Amino acid sequence: GESVGLHLPTLSVQEGDNSIINCAYSNSASDYFIWYKQESGKGPQFIIDIRSNMDKRQGQRVTVLLNKTVKHLSLQIAATQPGDSAVYFCAEDSGGSNYKLTFGKGTLLTVNP
Amino acid sequence: DADVTQTPRNRITKTGKRIMLECSQTKGHDRMYWYRQDPGLGLRLIYYSFDVKDINKGEISDGYSVSRQAQAKFSLSLESAIPNQTALYFCATRSSGGTGELFFGEGSRLTVL
């Protein structure tokens, strides 16, 4: 899994399998979280977000789970496809309206055909 | 056309040179950000601006300066570039009235020799 402060972890999955990318965030006051996807040579792109008053949110093929007790965030990708290969970042916002997101170091997801 | 445009996309320069990276956006957002990305370190905030008259330092502002020339333009300057400023730089925007989602440009790769 991923944590702010560690080297870039990697996850390799087979096409069609489900992927789970983990993130340990640091600030217990954080109340907003985002997952971003970054493909090679491109800027990060928004995938899904969740607020601290929720513990689960679903999008198209993606689900984000939030466990505030242990300060853990996860991104689940269903039926992973080759186009899902990218670096995935979690980001936390420590509150207020400033939205100065603090990013994790990312997890490299490789999907094998 | 991209909503957030960065120029130049790639730049090689020498130590001591002054460099400016420019960012323009067509999203009409009032908030703009400059991030730096280094391998294994994720995205770190350099400067952010909430409007033309509001400039704030991020976590790694030393050695950098910014200018918000208009709501749509936010430039990052390195007054005297040094090799450890070699990195990938991203501009991002966000609407104050929207979600916390940041919209990123495609990045500017800077190499300081």
Side-chain angles (χ1 to χ4, degrees), chain A residues 87-106:
Chain A
V87 177
Y88 290 81
F89 294 96
C90 66
E92 60 181 298
D93 173 39
S94 58
S97 60
N98 289 341
Y99 287 101
K100 291 185 295 177
L101 294 177
T102 300
F103 286 80
K105 295 184 178 180

Side-chain angles (χ1 to χ4, degrees), chain A residues 33 35 48-50 55-59 62-66 73-76:
Chain A
F33 305 88
W35 279 100
I48 192 167
D49 59 1
I50 188 168
D55 54 20
K56 180 179 180 179
R57 191 167 188 216
Q58 289 184 291
V62 294
T63 300
V64 55
L65 299 178
L66 175 62
L73 195 68
S74 69
L75 176 70
Q76 300 178 1

Side-chain angles (χ1 to χ4, degrees), chain B:
Chain B
D1 290 338
D3 293 324
V4 183
T5 303
Q6 294 183 229
T7 56
R9 294 292 313 278
N10 289 284
R11 183 71 181 269
I12 299 173
T13 190
K14 294 182 179 180
T15 298
K17 294 292 187 181
R18 183 178 187 274
I19 294 296
M20 178 180 287
L21 306 179
E22 299 188 5
C23 177
S24 63
Q25 52 118 344
T26 57
K27 299 190 73 66
H29 290 169
D30 49 357
R31 299 183 177 190
M32 298 187 74
Y33 304 76
W34 274 105
Y35 282 88
R36 168 177 172 160
Q37 185 175 37
D38 297 276
L41 290 179
L43 289 152
R44 293 181 292 168
L45 182 63
I46 306 172
Y47 269 96
Y48 60 103
S49 169
F50 288 167
D51 64 40
V52 174
K53 297 181 180 180
D54 184 356
I55 305 291
N56 303 279
K57 292 182 177 181
E59 60 180 306
I60 55 164
S61 60
D62 287 349
Y64 302 95
S65 62
V66 291
S67 174
R68 187 81 182 267
Q69 302 94 324
Q71 187 192 39
K73 296 183 182 297
F74 192 37
S75 60
L76 176 72
S77 294
L78 289 69
E79 295 301 325
S80 180
I82 57 177
N84 76 1
Q85 291 178 310
T86 293
L88 185 56
Y89 292 86
F90 285 101
C91 174
T93 73
R94 179 190 167 269
S95 170
S96 59
T99 66
E101 179 184 356
L102 288 172
F103 294 85
F104 285 87
E106 294 291 278
S108 296
R109 184 169 296 282
L110 176 65
T111 302
V112 183
L113 302 177

Side-chain angles (χ1 to χ4, degrees), chain A residues 16-70:
Chain A
D17 287 351
N18 295 332
S19 302
I20 300 176
I21 300 171
N22 297 301
C23 176
Y25 64 92
S26 58
N27 190 342
S28 58
S30 292
D31 61 0
Y32 179 66
F33 305 88
I34 305 180
W35 279 100
Y36 280 89
K37 172 186 180 183
Q38 186 178 23
E39 296 176 88
S40 181
K42 296 186 177 181
Q45 292 181 294
F46 173 90
I47 302 174
I48 192 167
D49 59 1
I50 188 168
R51 296 200 174 275
S52 58
N53 61 353
M54 303 172 68
D55 54 20
K56 180 179 180 179
R57 191 167 188 216
Q58 289 184 291
Q60 186 176 14
R61 281 201 308 119
V62 294
T63 300
V64 55
L65 299 178
L66 175 62
N67 185 331
K68 294 181 290 295
T69 302
V70 296

